[in-house]
């Protein structure tokens, strides 16, 4: 049985920050020992150092990040090949993402079937938590960077083929609820145990609310790729905020104003979910890339199609988290948005929080909330080559 104690840590737990030790055995958190950080009279408890112990020098430890929505990173496009999907996952792991859904943009169904089988292989190997289909049942009017050539009206038999290809690992599908047959597709997703998400949609408030009534329970990058709020037709944004569902947000300083992030949070601490929506450009820099067969220009970190439409991001979860805190989101709420809330979407109750019994997924942060070390299932992540290539 492998055991490890992280000493002199400031640990973000469900009960607030505690100063002390994290004890880990067999890939799981056994205990978080220590005293709450707030009272100033008591000094931290000093246990005798364990056989395998590492001092973190007072660094902050937060739960590993859970990214529900990512297309690539480190120069690797998840839709490119099984190998590039695996390498994109490893790139983001170096930035603190310990649980990943592989997100697949709209493509011909045959291509999606092949990509889903790669995701299923990676999930079988314990590398990812499954796949997110962003399409092809999305709105032409709000397709953003989804290739309009391959958008389809909801089609249960196409959905069935993709479901089979994913071998139980299709976890989320984004659907535009105003399309003909969309509610039947929501029903089919719910019946199959797949999270139906509302996104890339021109739906009205009522059409969106109907999807949530049918069991949809996530909003895909709220505000982006959907009809904006109008005071007489508040559309999918307010319908998603009113429904008891978490809302994905792309917090890269480009897709959303920070006041919008705080507004989502004001609807409840379980409401906000940070995602990257990253494409292969993440971690590489400005240049020309492709997404779903379309060319994407990345300039000053903003990824756009020739039309000017935003095309994913070059974000990583550590940046999304650090930016949220800088933008005035309390540390506990930012951590919930990066870890516990998305873990709950996936029904993964063994992660998202640092408490006894949880998988030992954690991120050690410096004072600027940049990543110093990452641990996944009790193992230190060593993806240096992936982080810098
Ligand atoms: Zn996306």
């Amino acid at each position: 049985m492998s055991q490890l104690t992280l000493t002199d840590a400031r640990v973000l737990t469900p009960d607030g920050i505690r100063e002390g030790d994290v004890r880990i055995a067999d890939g799981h958190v056994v205990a978080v020992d220590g005293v709450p950080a707030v009272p100033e009279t008591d000094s931290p408890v000093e246990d005798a150092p364990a056989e395998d112990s590492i001092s973190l020098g007072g660094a902050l430890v937060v739960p590993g990040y859970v990214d529900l929505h990512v297309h690539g990173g480190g120069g690797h496009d998840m839709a490119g090949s099984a190998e590039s999907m695996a390498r994109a996952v490893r790139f983001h792991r170096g930035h603190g993402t310990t649980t990943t859904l592989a997100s697949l943009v709209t493509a011909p169904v045959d291509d999606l079937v092949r990509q889903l089988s790669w995701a299923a292989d990676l999930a079988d190997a314990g590398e990812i938590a499954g796949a997110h289909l962003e399409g092809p049942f999305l709105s032409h009017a709000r397709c953003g960077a989804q290739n309009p050539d391959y958008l389809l009206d909801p089609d249960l038999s196409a959905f069935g083929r993709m479901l089979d290809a994913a071998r139980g690992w299709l976890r989320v599908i984004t659907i535009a609820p105003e399309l003909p047959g969309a509610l039947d597709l929501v029903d089919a997703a719910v019946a199959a145990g797949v999270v139906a998400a509302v996104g890339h949609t021109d739906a009205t408030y009522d059409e969106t609310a109907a999807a949530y009534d049918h069991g949809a329970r996530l909003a895909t990058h709220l505000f982006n790729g959907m009809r904006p709020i109008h005071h007489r037709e508040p559309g999918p944004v307010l319908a998603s905020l009113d429904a008891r569902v978490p809302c994905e947000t792309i917090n890269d300083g480009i897709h959303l104003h920070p006041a919008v992030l705080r507004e989502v949070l004001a609807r409840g601490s379980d409401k906000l979910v940070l995602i990257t929506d990253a494409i292969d450009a993440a971690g590489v820099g400005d240049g020309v890339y492709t997404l779903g067969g379309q060319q994407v220009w990345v300039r000053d970190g903003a990824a756009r199609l020739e039309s000017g439409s935003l095309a994913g991001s070059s974000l990583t979860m550590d940046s999304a988290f650090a930016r949220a805190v800088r933008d005035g989101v309390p540390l506990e709420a930012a951590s919930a948005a990066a870890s516990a809330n998305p873990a709950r979407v996936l029904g993964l109750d063994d992660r998202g929080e640092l408490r006894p019994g949880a998988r030992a997924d954690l991120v050690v942060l410096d004072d600027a909330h940049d990543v110093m070390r990452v641990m996944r299932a009790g193992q230190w992540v060593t993806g240096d080559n992936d982080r810098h290539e």
Side-chain angles (χ1 to χ4, degrees):
M1 179 156 116
S2 62
Q3 292 196 35
L4 175 67
T5 302
L6 307 177
T7 64
D8 195 14
R10 296 173 58 240
V11 189
L12 187 63
T13 74
D15 305 317
I17 293 181
R18 300 182 81 82
E19 291 178 350
D21 302 343
V22 185
R23 286 193 283 130
I24 293 157
D26 287 337
H28 288 77
V29 175
V30 176
V32 180
D33 301 325
V35 296
V38 187
E40 59 278 10
T41 45
D42 294 337
S43 58
V45 178
E46 289 288 345
D47 285 337
E51 222 170 85
D52 248 326
S53 82
I54 296 173
S55 171
L56 297 184
L60 180 65
V61 178
V62 299
Y65 306 132
V66 178
D67 191 356
L68 298 179
H69 191 148
V70 51
H71 302 281
H76 310 292
D77 179 1
M78 289 200 176
S81 69
E83 173 64 17
S84 65
M85 186 181 280
R87 296 186 71 150
V89 171
R90 287 201 296 274
F91 165 79
H92 284 282
R93 200 172 288 165
H95 289 270
T97 302
T98 49
T99 298
T100 308
L101 281 194
S103 289
L104 304 172
V105 289
T106 297
V109 172
D110 286 345
D111 291 4
L112 291 172
V113 160
R114 190 166 60 248
Q115 293 161 15
L116 285 165
S117 75
W118 306 335
D121 290 343
L122 271 186
D124 281 341
E127 293 291 303
I128 62 173
H132 159 220
L133 271 178
E134 192 175 17
F137 311 122
L138 306 174
S139 159
H140 275 271
R142 303 288 174 188
C143 64
Q146 304 287 325
N147 193 327
D149 293 347
Y150 306 122
L151 293 176
L152 299 176
D153 280 342
D155 176 337
L156 291 177
S157 80
F159 175 68
R161 278 189 64 207
M162 295 188 287
L163 193 62
D164 289 347
R167 306 197 308 267
W169 291 110
L170 179 59
R171 306 301 292 265
V172 178
I173 181 167
T174 299
I175 300 167
E178 73 279 18
L179 298 178
L183 295 180
D184 291 339
L185 195 73
V186 170
D187 292 343
V190 170
V194 177
V195 174
V198 169
H200 285 286
T201 171
D202 203 37
T204 63
Y205 182 98
D206 289 345
E207 287 166 337
T208 308
Y212 291 127
D213 286 344
H214 277 251
R217 55 187 186 90
L218 178 68
T220 296
H221 44 56
L222 193 73
F223 292 96
N224 297 116
M226 57 178 66
R227 177 204 284 257
I229 295 178
H230 185 277
H231 52 289
R232 279 186 290 276
E233 179 40 81
V237 172
L238 273 194
S240 299
L241 288 173
D242 281 352
R244 297 185 62 83
V245 300
C247 299
E248 295 180 354
T249 54
I250 309 169
N251 191 39
D252 62 352
I254 296 164
H255 282 76
L256 295 173
H257 191 282
V260 168
L261 202 70
R262 295 192 293 267
E263 178 59 27
V264 177
L265 184 64
R267 293 300 194 103
S269 59
D270 54 357
K271 198 74 183 167
L272 187 64
V273 169
L274 296 174
I275 59 164
T276 63
D277 198 15
I279 64 170
D280 50 352
V284 182
D286 291 358
V288 185
Y289 299 85
T290 56
L291 179 68
Q294 302 189 96
Q295 282 205 308
V296 175
W297 282 262
V298 178
R299 213 168 289 125
D300 300 328
R304 294 179 188 276
L305 300 182
E306 194 170 15
S307 66
S309 184
L310 285 167
S313 83
S314 49
L315 194 57
T316 48
M317 285 298 286
D318 50 350
S319 313
F321 173 82
R323 181 182 287 276
V325 175
R326 276 202 309 277
D327 287 344
V329 174
L331 188 69
E332 289 80 359
S335 175
S339 302
N341 294 347
R344 203 176 301 115
V345 169
L346 299 177
L348 296 172
D349 52 15
D350 67 339
R351 56 196 93 162
E353 292 181 339
L354 290 174
R355 52 175 165 69
R359 198 170 86 161
D361 291 352
L362 54 86
V363 188
V364 183
L365 298 174
D366 66 14
D367 290 343
H369 299 129
D370 286 331
V371 172
M372 297 169 71
R373 306 184 79 163
V374 180
M375 178 180 280
R376 181 172 183 270
Q379 304 291 319
W380 292 113
V381 171
T382 56
D384 267 2
N385 50 338
D386 282 322
R387 282 190 70 180
H388 301 300
E389 69 186 86

